[in-house]
Amino acid sequence: MKMRDEYFNKKNFFSLLLFLFVILGITGFSMKQSKKESSVKITHGNIIFEVNSALHTRISSSFPDSKTVMDKFQASENITIDNRVISNFELKKVQESTLDGKLSGREWLAKGIFEEDGLKLVKNLKLTAYDDFPNLISVEVKYVNASKEDVFIDGWINGNYQILPQGDQPPFWAFQGSSSSSRSDWIKPLEPGYYQKNYMGMNDSDYGGGIPVTSVWRPDLNIAVGHLSLVPELVNLPTEMLKDSKVVIGVSNDFAHRTLFKAQDTITTLETFVSVSKGDYFENLAKYSELMQEKGIKMVKPEEAAFEPIWCAWGYGREFTMEEVVNTLPKVKELGIDWAVLDDGFQVAEGDWEPASDRFPEGEDAIKKLVERIHGYGLKAKIWWTPLAADPGSKALEQNPQMIIKKENGAPQFITWWDAYYLSPTKEETVKHTKDILDLFLNQWDFDGLKMDGQHLNAVAPDHTLENPEEAPKGLPDFFHMIYNEARKIKPNAVVENCPCGTCMSYYNMASTNQTVSSDPLSSWQIRHKGKTYKALVPQTAYYGDHVELSDNGSDFASSFGIGAVLGTKFTVPSSSENEEAEKFLLTERKEEVWKKWFTLYNDKMLSKEEYIGNLYDIGYDKPETHVIKKQDRLYYAFYADFWEGKIEFRGLENNTEYRIVDYFNKVNLEHVKASQPFLDVNFKEFILLEAVPVGK
């Protein structure tokens, strides 16, 4: 009997051990489980985020028809210490908690340990799923130096994912939010061997900043990463396509100098995120902006006057005369344009904004009279200005030399394009100098709006005259917010345009402008995809397509019109002066007929104020390229291709509603369509603009 009892006690004991082992395995807290298995699994909307026992991660999607994203767990969050990448941590504990308040949700904290050769690190991986933002997981990591000795950090990276292709050509498209002197496309197809660092600081003497998001997509799925800091950060968002067409993305901080990591100290990464969506980059970018606004970014309200069409005197160049500008105003009014812009060339120098004597021999009185003439035609007046720039030898710098940003070696930070010095945006002297200029332009001279211009506006370099040099780039958005508030205090309906020539505009600067712009586009393609980007991030903004003369063939109004952009031009009229620049943009009789048609159509439809529906068509894979604007119960479709002959599809139609299709540019009625039969055969060159009107209305 005793032997039998001992047998059953042993059997029960081993059964209990087996039971505990199974339970521990299921709940994910077995320290001996395979690194291939999931210890934490979060499903939030259609994103599935897993963490294994080495604190490696894996992303997958539950969207219908979406294919494998990663074939294995990856060391997506790691730190480099003493030139050694530390990526394998032994999972010790996972805690889950609830987030209450405005940004409610769930939070997971996974703690892991790395210990080897006297180095001991604790990794605390915090994962957050916000209730109102499905398909997105935010990631923040705290590293603790639990060693007895100090070490040096070289950098860290979050969201370092290697994503599988699916064999399509091209296998990936990408949105990359950085800026460079090449003024390259923000959206492009990727090829094997491609690499772009996407540094968010200064990339050249004049260029830097941008949107801290990278979004890559295949026909079945889009994956985006970025950071959620409320100020600009000097980090990278590198994009690389390997030889096997896998794409590598991430958010990395490569320290400019090796940083001492003292024993028992903690270093915290930025809060980064990964999100998934169907289609192109539009939804992921929109989701990012909505979350940033929930976290504290405040976008300004739209201004009615910002949607009105624009004429700019830049067609006459810097050597314009008063006569040329004044003589153009009647034609501006006749074409249905509401704004006249006095552009570069009126000033003594960058920094010294008094009127140049050769252009305005009567001084400030001549400027005031010009504004009176503009207002006399019922037009609004805008003035060109390049803040944060002052020429060497200018009075502004003679009086306040401390405004200049200085490099680490003590040399002034130079703006190559303007042959000027950068001004530090957080210094009191710079702020006062800027407020005085605003009073001059909007109060004393009576202009109605500002055209702030220059690629250097997008970011500034660290200012080494400050105790914390990064105070300058991080404080830049506050500088522009000051300009916006001061301008609107003087003129409550002032239009404040920010035109950071050719750059991918800093997301943080978007919060203090009520008119964004395609900003010196190199092609019509740039006008359209920049428009889609702005409408994802700031859907209420007045997006200005810039001078139509910068589009393909210098006359592609359709690209601005179909994307819902404000129309603008810099045409010139015959003049007695010998101005070779102005000859390029003369409004001939034929051009006037075309210009009149487009501006009349723009004022009739005013699609720039309406809702852009950005998730219906994939700008990379869907052909022809298509954009849609909804105005009440009507849908406006813009199709683009060099040449198209075949079917087009009308997405977004209401069920059980029949629509008549109108080519409203050519005033031609086409066939009827409905959601169950949304196709139509057409042929066109360059563009076709179609209106879907519910039958009976």
Side-chain angles (χ1 to χ4, degrees), residues 49 51 54-55 57 75-80 86-87 89 108-112 121-128 138-144 153 155-161 251 255 261 265-273:
F49 191 104
V51 184
L55 266 64
T57 67
S76 54
E77 284 71 41
N78 58 65
I79 188 168
T80 303
I86 311 297
S87 58
F89 292 79
W108 293 261
L109 185 63
K111 180 178 180 179
L121 291 179
V122 178
K123 178 178 181 179
N124 294 297
L125 175 66
K126 184 171 74 173
L127 309 172
T128 306
S138 86
V139 179
E140 184 182 86
V141 186
K142 289 185 178 180
Y143 295 98
V144 181
I153 299 178
W156 55 259
I157 189 166
N158 284 4
N160 188 205
Y161 304 121
V251 181
F255 295 172
F261 192 10
D265 273 3
T266 300
I267 184 170
T268 304
T269 71
L270 299 177
E271 182 183 12
T272 61
F273 73 90

Side-chain angles (χ1 to χ4, degrees), residues 496-521:
V496 181
E497 174 191 347
N498 191 321
C499 181
C501 308
T503 65
C504 185
M505 185 178 182
S506 168
Y507 175 74
Y508 303 94
N509 296 348
M510 293 179 195
S512 49
T513 176
N514 54 22
Q515 189 172 73
T516 54
V517 58
S518 66
S519 187
D520 292 336

Side-chain angles (χ1 to χ4, degrees), residues 270-412:
L270 299 177
E271 182 183 12
T272 61
F273 73 90
V274 57
S275 62
V276 298
S277 72
K278 297 291 285 184
D280 63 27
Y281 70 112
F282 184 87
E283 282 200 11
N284 275 333
L285 221 53
K287 189 188 311 173
Y288 156 77
S289 185
E290 290 165 9
L291 178 53
M292 290 289 281
Q293 291 176 66
E294 284 294 309
K295 282 179 168 287
I297 296 287
K298 302 298 181 187
M299 297 291 178
V300 301
K301 294 180 179 179
E303 168 57 50
E304 283 291 307
F307 294 94
E308 297 171 347
I310 300 163
W311 172 79
C312 183
W314 186 236
Y316 293 107
R318 288 189 179 91
E319 303 302 317
F320 71 88
T321 66
M322 278 284 289
E323 176 193 24
E324 288 171 330
V325 176
V326 170
N327 288 347
T328 312
L329 297 178
K331 189 60 67 176
V332 172
K333 179 68 175 179
E334 183 183 330
L335 290 176
I337 299 170
D338 297 290
W339 282 91
V341 183
L342 179 62
D343 214 285
D344 185 9
F346 72 88
Q347 73 279 11
V348 171
E350 277 74 55
D352 294 344
W353 297 99
E354 298 82 11
S357 57
D358 59 339
R359 206 79 66 240
F360 297 94
E362 298 176 32
E364 291 189 29
D365 285 341
I367 294 267
K368 292 176 183 178
K369 288 178 182 177
L370 173 60
V371 174
E372 287 177 4
R373 294 290 295 270
I374 293 171
H375 287 162
Y377 281 99
L379 306 173
K380 299 179 182 68
K382 190 188 288 187
I383 188 166
W384 176 92
W385 176 36
T386 182
L388 292 177
D391 293 346
S394 62
K395 290 180 183 177
L397 292 184
E398 287 178 1
Q399 295 170 0
N400 292 294
Q402 63 271 44
M403 291 192 295
I404 300 174
I405 290 177
K406 291 198 174 176
K407 302 178 185 179
E408 196 168 6
N409 63 4

Side-chain angles (χ1 to χ4, degrees), residues 36 62 66 107 146 210 238 251 258 337 381 392 484 510 605 619 670:
K36 295 181 180 180
S62 59
S66 64
E107 186 176 278
V251 181
R258 301 186 77 202
I337 299 170
Y484 181 84
M510 293 179 195
K605 299 292 186 184
I619 198 171
L670 305 180

Side-chain angles (χ1 to χ4, degrees), residues 343-600:
D343 214 285
D344 185 9
F346 72 88
Q347 73 279 11
V348 171
E350 277 74 55
D352 294 344
W353 297 99
E354 298 82 11
S357 57
D358 59 339
R359 206 79 66 240
F360 297 94
E362 298 176 32
E364 291 189 29
D365 285 341
I367 294 267
K368 292 176 183 178
K369 288 178 182 177
L370 173 60
V371 174
E372 287 177 4
R373 294 290 295 270
I374 293 171
H375 287 162
Y377 281 99
L379 306 173
K380 299 179 182 68
K382 190 188 288 187
I383 188 166
W384 176 92
W385 176 36
T386 182
L388 292 177
D391 293 346
S394 62
K395 290 180 183 177
L397 292 184
E398 287 178 1
Q399 295 170 0
N400 292 294
Q402 63 271 44
M403 291 192 295
I404 300 174
I405 290 177
K406 291 198 174 176
K407 302 178 185 179
E408 196 168 6
N409 63 4
Q413 184 70 38
F414 201 62
I415 306 173
T416 305
W417 181 260
W418 303 116
D419 294 327
Y421 293 142
Y422 265 104
L423 305 186
S424 193
T426 62
K427 289 181 176 173
E428 291 182 10
E429 296 84 359
T430 306
V431 172
K432 183 183 183 307
H433 167 73
T434 304
K435 286 184 176 181
D436 289 344
I437 296 165
L438 288 166
D439 182 74
L440 178 68
F441 289 166
L442 301 176
N443 181 30
Q444 298 176 46
W445 292 355
D446 201 26
F447 280 92
D448 306 293
L450 305 167
K451 176 187 176 180
M452 298 188 297
D453 190 46
Q455 59 271 16
H456 71 287
L457 301 182
N458 215 44
V460 299
D463 181 4
H464 290 273
T465 68
L466 301 172
E467 184 176 346
N468 176 11
E470 289 190 14
E471 178 188 318
K474 292 188 177 184
L476 183 61
D478 288 339
F479 174 79
F480 284 114
H481 202 59
M482 176 275 294
I483 289 177
Y484 181 84
N485 288 337
E486 194 72 14
R488 301 278 286 187
K489 187 191 301 181
I490 299 169
K491 285 281 181 79
N493 300 110
V495 170
V496 181
E497 174 191 347
N498 191 321
C499 181
C501 308
T503 65
C504 185
M505 185 178 182
S506 168
Y507 175 74
Y508 303 94
N509 296 348
M510 293 179 195
S512 49
T513 176
N514 54 22
Q515 189 172 73
T516 54
V517 58
S518 66
S519 187
D520 292 336
L522 300 180
S523 65
S524 293
W525 162 246
Q526 287 197 350
I527 293 170
R528 298 194 298 270
H529 78 247
K530 288 180 180 184
K532 183 162 188 168
T533 302
Y534 281 120
K535 288 173 183 292
L537 296 167
V538 200
Q540 73 270 26
T541 190
Y543 169 64
Y544 170 33
D546 214 329
H547 313 138
V548 71
E549 291 81 2
L550 292 167
S551 67
D552 293 353
N553 303 315
S555 60
D556 182 16
F557 284 101
S559 280
S560 287
F561 196 99
I563 195 71
V566 177
L567 296 191
T569 178
K570 58 178 179 179
F571 71 82
T572 60
V573 297
S575 168
S576 58
S577 62
E578 295 181 5
N579 189 329
E580 293 182 5
E581 182 73 11
E583 290 291 326
K584 303 175 188 175
F585 307 113
L586 277 177
L587 190 68
T588 63
E589 186 176 336
R590 171 59 186 147
K591 282 177 65 174
E592 182 176 346
E593 183 181 336
V594 174
W595 265 235
K596 178 71 172 177
K597 180 174 182 176
W598 279 109
F599 282 106
T600 300

